[in-house]
Amino acid sequence: MSDRDPLEGIPAELRDWHQGALEGDPAVCAAPQPMQPGYPCIHSKGFHELHRDVYGRTWPNRPEEPLRVARKAPVADGMVTVETRDHGAVQVPEPSWCTGIHPAEEFRADIEHQGVETVAAFPTLCHGLVTALGVSLVQRPFSPTEPRIHAVLKVDEEWHALNSKGLDLAAGLLVEHATAMRHLARQLAALEVAQ
């Protein structure tokens, strides 16, 4: 695993809310996030339509629906074992950038390494907190079409109404997000050279 701080570049105030969520601060929502253990909601206990983690990822605030959280797969000697229906237990090298979430798969070709998703999130007048331009590293080592490490970019295709303050905030967040995307591009370039 990398020695790099996973919260590098996150503002101190958000780090404090994240730490509060992890430590059980009664003022913090701390609802667990599906598929992202260790990154609970950092909103205050007051009402919020969407939960949000320290990276800006959001998920529905529906207390009536039980959350199903994937567990990290154990890594031994740099290898992770993933159960598949077509090839049984498959061992693959676990890259340092992978989040470690590896559910059982129907097919070996669907085994996937996923990096932490970085998103820009900003409040809108019409839909509350909206995320845009999610980006992360991905690799499907047994994919017949693209087994190499690559990035995936998620773009929200809806139009959202913003006031001047919201538009200014969104612009600032997108500038910050561009920095994160450039960092990820450099990381990906180094990983491509190493393949």
Side-chain angles (χ1 to χ4, degrees):
M1 293 301 271
S2 170
D3 291 335
R4 184 178 162 278
D5 179 0
L7 299 183
E8 185 178 306
I10 299 292
E13 181 183 352
L14 293 181
R15 282 173 172 257
D16 290 345
W17 280 94
H18 176 68
Q19 195 61 38
L22 294 176
E23 293 174 357
D25 184 323
V28 186
C29 172
Q33 179 177 178
M35 304 299 291
Q36 295 291 341
Y39 293 94
C41 178
I42 63 168
H43 279 303
S44 70
K45 287 273 188 176
F47 174 77
H48 45 278
E49 189 173 317
L50 295 174
H51 291 302
R52 178 183 186 273
D53 76 359
V54 69
Y55 291 114
R57 294 178 294 223
T58 61
W59 64 100
N61 182 0
R62 295 189 189 119
E64 70 279 1
E65 290 183 13
L67 294 176
R68 294 172 183 85
V69 179
R71 302 286 177 228
K72 284 194 170 196
V75 178
D77 297 323
M79 303 291 282
V80 66
T81 302
V82 180
E83 291 294 329
T84 66
R85 179 165 272 195
D86 62 346
H87 284 81
V90 177
Q91 281 198 326
V92 293
E94 178 76 340
S96 61
W97 52 265
C98 183
T99 60
I101 306 298
H102 295 285
E105 295 288 356
E106 186 79 15
F107 303 105
R108 183 178 68 170
D110 293 331
I111 293 174
E112 181 175 85
H113 296 296
Q114 290 184 331
V116 172
E117 182 182 9
T118 303
V119 298
F122 48 92
T124 67
L125 301 176
C126 52
H127 293 93
L129 194 65
V130 171
T131 59
L133 299 178
V135 62
S136 63
L137 294 177
V138 169
Q139 182 186 27
R140 287 186 165 190
F142 299 102
S143 169
T145 55
E146 185 51 83
R148 297 174 298 179
I149 301 165
H150 56 282
V152 290
L153 183 67
K154 181 171 57 181
V155 180
D156 185 349
E157 297 179 0
E158 290 188 34
W159 291 96
H160 299 282
L162 299 171
N163 60 20
S164 60
K165 185 177 179 181
L167 185 58
D168 189 55
L169 176 62
L173 289 169
L174 289 174
V175 169
E176 290 176 17
H177 195 55
T179 301
M181 290 175 68
R182 285 190 190 104
H183 172 76
L184 198 59
R186 288 191 293 275
Q187 183 183 359
L188 178 56
L191 292 166
E192 287 171 343
V193 168
Q195 288 190 83

PDB file of all heavy atoms in Angstrom, residues 13-34:
ATOM      1  N   GLU A  13     -11.184  21.669   7.389  1.00  0.00           N
ATOM      2  CA  GLU A  13     -12.534  21.608   7.959  1.00  0.00           C
ATOM      3  C   GLU A  13     -13.230  20.298   7.586  1.00  0.00           C
ATOM      4  O   GLU A  13     -13.867  19.665   8.430  1.00  0.00           O
ATOM      5  CB  GLU A  13     -13.369  22.795   7.479  1.00  0.00           C
ATOM      6  CG  GLU A  13     -14.766  22.807   8.061  1.00  0.00           C
ATOM      7  CD  GLU A  13     -15.639  23.945   7.542  1.00  0.00           C
ATOM      8  OE1 GLU A  13     -15.124  24.830   6.828  1.00  0.00           O
ATOM      9  OE2 GLU A  13     -16.832  23.927   7.854  1.00  0.00           O
ATOM     10  N   LEU A  14     -13.090  19.866   6.318  1.00  0.00           N
ATOM     11  CA  LEU A  14     -13.696  18.595   5.898  1.00  0.00           C
ATOM     12  C   LEU A  14     -13.016  17.417   6.582  1.00  0.00           C
ATOM     13  O   LEU A  14     -13.668  16.443   6.960  1.00  0.00           O
ATOM     14  CB  LEU A  14     -13.629  18.444   4.377  1.00  0.00           C
ATOM     15  CG  LEU A  14     -14.473  19.419   3.567  1.00  0.00           C
ATOM     16  CD1 LEU A  14     -14.337  19.131   2.080  1.00  0.00           C
ATOM     17  CD2 LEU A  14     -15.931  19.362   3.977  1.00  0.00           C
ATOM     18  N   ARG A  15     -11.683  17.493   6.756  1.00  0.00           N
ATOM     19  CA  ARG A  15     -10.957  16.446   7.470  1.00  0.00           C
ATOM     20  C   ARG A  15     -11.496  16.296   8.899  1.00  0.00           C
ATOM     21  O   ARG A  15     -11.647  15.192   9.406  1.00  0.00           O
ATOM     22  CB  ARG A  15      -9.465  16.773   7.547  1.00  0.00           C
ATOM     23  CG  ARG A  15      -8.688  16.503   6.291  1.00  0.00           C
ATOM     24  CD  ARG A  15      -7.262  17.034   6.464  1.00  0.00           C
ATOM     25  NE  ARG A  15      -6.418  16.649   5.381  1.00  0.00           N
ATOM     26  CZ  ARG A  15      -5.513  15.678   5.438  1.00  0.00           C
ATOM     27  NH1 ARG A  15      -5.342  15.003   6.549  1.00  0.00           N
ATOM     28  NH2 ARG A  15      -4.784  15.386   4.394  1.00  0.00           N
ATOM     29  N   ASP A  16     -11.764  17.452   9.544  1.00  0.00           N
ATOM     30  CA  ASP A  16     -12.284  17.428  10.915  1.00  0.00           C
ATOM     31  C   ASP A  16     -13.644  16.730  10.980  1.00  0.00           C
ATOM     32  O   ASP A  16     -13.899  15.926  11.877  1.00  0.00           O
ATOM     33  CB  ASP A  16     -12.398  18.847  11.478  1.00  0.00           C
ATOM     34  CG  ASP A  16     -11.039  19.474  11.752  1.00  0.00           C
ATOM     35  OD1 ASP A  16     -10.032  18.741  11.783  1.00  0.00           O
ATOM     36  OD2 ASP A  16     -10.995  20.706  11.922  1.00  0.00           O
ATOM     37  N   TRP A  17     -14.539  17.042  10.035  1.00  0.00           N
ATOM     38  CA  TRP A  17     -15.848  16.392  10.006  1.00  0.00           C
ATOM     39  C   TRP A  17     -15.690  14.894   9.741  1.00  0.00           C
ATOM     40  O   TRP A  17     -16.382  14.063  10.334  1.00  0.00           O
ATOM     41  CB  TRP A  17     -16.748  17.028   8.949  1.00  0.00           C
ATOM     42  CG  TRP A  17     -17.367  18.301   9.413  1.00  0.00           C
ATOM     43  CD1 TRP A  17     -16.895  19.571   9.221  1.00  0.00           C
ATOM     44  CD2 TRP A  17     -18.571  18.440  10.175  1.00  0.00           C
ATOM     45  NE1 TRP A  17     -17.734  20.480   9.822  1.00  0.00           N
ATOM     46  CE2 TRP A  17     -18.772  19.825  10.402  1.00  0.00           C
ATOM     47  CE3 TRP A  17     -19.504  17.536  10.674  1.00  0.00           C
ATOM     48  CZ2 TRP A  17     -19.857  20.314  11.104  1.00  0.00           C
ATOM     49  CZ3 TRP A  17     -20.595  18.024  11.378  1.00  0.00           C
ATOM     50  CH2 TRP A  17     -20.761  19.398  11.592  1.00  0.00           C
ATOM     51  N   HIS A  18     -14.757  14.530   8.844  1.00  0.00           N
ATOM     52  CA  HIS A  18     -14.499  13.120   8.534  1.00  0.00           C
ATOM     53  C   HIS A  18     -14.011  12.395   9.787  1.00  0.00           C
ATOM     54  O   HIS A  18     -14.502  11.308  10.122  1.00  0.00           O
ATOM     55  CB  HIS A  18     -13.462  13.033   7.410  1.00  0.00           C
ATOM     56  CG  HIS A  18     -13.035  11.640   7.070  1.00  0.00           C
ATOM     57  ND1 HIS A  18     -13.881  10.722   6.480  1.00  0.00           N
ATOM     58  CD2 HIS A  18     -11.858  10.997   7.241  1.00  0.00           C
ATOM     59  CE1 HIS A  18     -13.241   9.592   6.293  1.00  0.00           C
ATOM     60  NE2 HIS A  18     -12.009   9.722   6.751  1.00  0.00           N
ATOM     61  N   GLN A  19     -13.061  13.009  10.492  1.00  0.00           N
ATOM     62  CA  GLN A  19     -12.534  12.398  11.715  1.00  0.00           C
ATOM     63  C   GLN A  19     -13.639  12.263  12.767  1.00  0.00           C
ATOM     64  O   GLN A  19     -13.734  11.246  13.455  1.00  0.00           O
ATOM     65  CB  GLN A  19     -11.365  13.230  12.262  1.00  0.00           C
ATOM     66  CG  GLN A  19     -10.541  12.511  13.289  1.00  0.00           C
ATOM     67  CD  GLN A  19      -9.893  11.239  12.749  1.00  0.00           C
ATOM     68  OE1 GLN A  19      -9.445  11.192  11.615  1.00  0.00           O
ATOM     69  NE2 GLN A  19      -9.868  10.195  13.563  1.00  0.00           N
ATOM     70  N   GLY A  20     -14.475  13.302  12.865  1.00  0.00           N
ATOM     71  CA  GLY A  20     -15.604  13.238  13.788  1.00  0.00           C
ATOM     72  C   GLY A  20     -16.546  12.091  13.468  1.00  0.00           C
ATOM     73  O   GLY A  20     -17.030  11.392  14.360  1.00  0.00           O
ATOM     74  N   ALA A  21     -16.798  11.878  12.157  1.00  0.00           N
ATOM     75  CA  ALA A  21     -17.669  10.773  11.742  1.00  0.00           C
ATOM     76  C   ALA A  21     -17.060   9.434  12.135  1.00  0.00           C
ATOM     77  O   ALA A  21     -17.750   8.536  12.620  1.00  0.00           O
ATOM     78  CB  ALA A  21     -17.910  10.833  10.237  1.00  0.00           C
ATOM     79  N   LEU A  22     -15.760   9.291  11.951  1.00  0.00           N
ATOM     80  CA  LEU A  22     -15.082   8.034  12.282  1.00  0.00           C
ATOM     81  C   LEU A  22     -15.036   7.785  13.788  1.00  0.00           C
ATOM     82  O   LEU A  22     -15.093   6.644  14.238  1.00  0.00           O
ATOM     83  CB  LEU A  22     -13.654   8.039  11.718  1.00  0.00           C
ATOM     84  CG  LEU A  22     -13.531   8.048  10.199  1.00  0.00           C
ATOM     85  CD1 LEU A  22     -12.066   8.142   9.797  1.00  0.00           C
ATOM     86  CD2 LEU A  22     -14.185   6.824   9.578  1.00  0.00           C
ATOM     87  N   GLU A  23     -14.946   8.875  14.568  1.00  0.00           N
ATOM     88  CA  GLU A  23     -14.798   8.741  16.016  1.00  0.00           C
ATOM     89  C   GLU A  23     -16.128   8.783  16.775  1.00  0.00           C
ATOM     90  O   GLU A  23     -16.147   8.747  18.001  1.00  0.00           O
ATOM     91  CB  GLU A  23     -13.867   9.837  16.537  1.00  0.00           C
ATOM     92  CG  GLU A  23     -12.439   9.674  16.040  1.00  0.00           C
ATOM     93  CD  GLU A  23     -11.537  10.822  16.434  1.00  0.00           C
ATOM     94  OE1 GLU A  23     -12.031  11.803  17.058  1.00  0.00           O
ATOM     95  OE2 GLU A  23     -10.341  10.756  16.131  1.00  0.00           O
ATOM     96  N   GLY A  24     -17.251   8.905  16.049  1.00  0.00           N
ATOM     97  CA  GLY A  24     -18.558   8.889  16.697  1.00  0.00           C
ATOM     98  C   GLY A  24     -18.983  10.209  17.303  1.00  0.00           C
ATOM     99  O   GLY A  24     -19.765  10.225  18.258  1.00  0.00           O
ATOM    100  N   ASP A  25     -18.496  11.341  16.771  1.00  0.00           N
ATOM    101  CA  ASP A  25     -18.912  12.667  17.247  1.00  0.00           C
ATOM    102  C   ASP A  25     -20.434  12.767  17.103  1.00  0.00           C
ATOM    103  O   ASP A  25     -20.972  12.551  16.018  1.00  0.00           O
ATOM    104  CB  ASP A  25     -18.224  13.745  16.420  1.00  0.00           C
ATOM    105  CG  ASP A  25     -18.512  15.158  16.896  1.00  0.00           C
ATOM    106  OD1 ASP A  25     -19.654  15.428  17.331  1.00  0.00           O
ATOM    107  OD2 ASP A  25     -17.615  16.000  16.812  1.00  0.00           O
ATOM    108  N   PRO A  26     -21.172  13.078  18.180  1.00  0.00           N
ATOM    109  CA  PRO A  26     -22.633  13.100  18.109  1.00  0.00           C
ATOM    110  C   PRO A  26     -23.198  14.178  17.192  1.00  0.00           C
ATOM    111  O   PRO A  26     -24.372  14.120  16.833  1.00  0.00           O
ATOM    112  CB  PRO A  26     -23.061  13.333  19.567  1.00  0.00           C
ATOM    113  CG  PRO A  26     -21.874  13.909  20.244  1.00  0.00           C
ATOM    114  CD  PRO A  26     -20.672  13.388  19.527  1.00  0.00           C
ATOM    115  N   ALA A  27     -22.399  15.154  16.774  1.00  0.00           N
ATOM    116  CA  ALA A  27     -22.881  16.212  15.885  1.00  0.00           C
ATOM    117  C   ALA A  27     -22.821  15.799  14.418  1.00  0.00           C
ATOM    118  O   ALA A  27     -23.399  16.452  13.564  1.00  0.00           O
ATOM    119  CB  ALA A  27     -22.060  17.488  16.094  1.00  0.00           C
ATOM    120  N   VAL A  28     -22.122  14.706  14.112  1.00  0.00           N
ATOM    121  CA  VAL A  28     -21.888  14.298  12.723  1.00  0.00           C
ATOM    122  C   VAL A  28     -22.809  13.142  12.362  1.00  0.00           C
ATOM    123  O   VAL A  28     -22.992  12.211  13.148  1.00  0.00           O
ATOM    124  CB  VAL A  28     -20.415  13.891  12.515  1.00  0.00           C
ATOM    125  CG1 VAL A  28     -20.146  13.604  11.048  1.00  0.00           C
ATOM    126  CG2 VAL A  28     -19.477  14.985  13.014  1.00  0.00           C
ATOM    127  N   CYS A  29     -23.376  13.172  11.155  1.00  0.00           N
ATOM    128  CA  CYS A  29     -24.289  12.117  10.699  1.00  0.00           C
ATOM    129  C   CYS A  29     -23.612  10.757  10.743  1.00  0.00           C
ATOM    130  O   CYS A  29     -24.112   9.822  11.352  1.00  0.00           O
ATOM    131  CB  CYS A  29     -24.770  12.432   9.279  1.00  0.00           C
ATOM    132  SG  CYS A  29     -25.723  11.088   8.526  1.00  0.00           S
ATOM    133  N   ALA A  30     -22.470  10.601  10.059  1.00  0.00           N
ATOM    134  CA  ALA A  30     -21.664   9.370  10.063  1.00  0.00           C
ATOM    135  C   ALA A  30     -22.360   8.139   9.490  1.00  0.00           C
ATOM    136  O   ALA A  30     -21.966   7.015   9.782  1.00  0.00           O
ATOM    137  CB  ALA A  30     -21.149   9.069  11.478  1.00  0.00           C
ATOM    138  N   ALA A  31     -23.407   8.333   8.647  1.00  0.00           N
ATOM    139  CA  ALA A  31     -24.061   7.178   8.018  1.00  0.00           C
ATOM    140  C   ALA A  31     -23.047   6.455   7.141  1.00  0.00           C
ATOM    141  O   ALA A  31     -22.299   7.087   6.401  1.00  0.00           O
ATOM    142  CB  ALA A  31     -25.249   7.643   7.176  1.00  0.00           C
ATOM    143  N   PRO A  32     -22.993   5.116   7.212  1.00  0.00           N
ATOM    144  CA  PRO A  32     -22.021   4.386   6.393  1.00  0.00           C
ATOM    145  C   PRO A  32     -22.348   4.514   4.904  1.00  0.00           C
ATOM    146  O   PRO A  32     -23.510   4.611   4.518  1.00  0.00           O
ATOM    147  CB  PRO A  32     -22.161   2.945   6.880  1.00  0.00           C
ATOM    148  CG  PRO A  32     -23.491   2.868   7.521  1.00  0.00           C
ATOM    149  CD  PRO A  32     -23.819   4.238   8.032  1.00  0.00           C
ATOM    150  N   GLN A  33     -21.310   4.496   4.094  1.00  0.00           N
ATOM    151  CA  GLN A  33     -21.470   4.639   2.645  1.00  0.00           C
ATOM    152  C   GLN A  33     -21.379   3.274   1.971  1.00  0.00           C
ATOM    153  O   GLN A  33     -20.410   2.549   2.190  1.00  0.00           O
ATOM    154  CB  GLN A  33     -20.373   5.550   2.078  1.00  0.00           C
ATOM    155  CG  GLN A  33     -20.461   5.733   0.593  1.00  0.00           C
ATOM    156  CD  GLN A  33     -19.412   6.685   0.049  1.00  0.00           C
ATOM    157  OE1 GLN A  33     -19.351   6.902  -1.152  1.00  0.00           O
ATOM    158  NE2 GLN A  33     -18.591   7.275   0.884  1.00  0.00           N
ATOM    159  N   PRO A  34     -22.363   2.895   1.150  1.00  0.00           N
ATOM    160  CA  PRO A  34     -22.282   1.626   0.433  1.00  0.00           C
ATOM    161  C   PRO A  34     -21.050   1.605  -0.468  1.00  0.00           C
ATOM    162  O   PRO A  34     -20.719   2.593  -1.120  1.00  0.00           O
ATOM    163  CB  PRO A  34     -23.566   1.606  -0.407  1.00  0.00           C
ATOM    164  CG  PRO A  34     -24.465   2.614   0.215  1.00  0.00           C
ATOM    165  CD  PRO A  34     -23.579   3.647   0.839  1.00  0.00           C
TER     166      PRO A  34
END
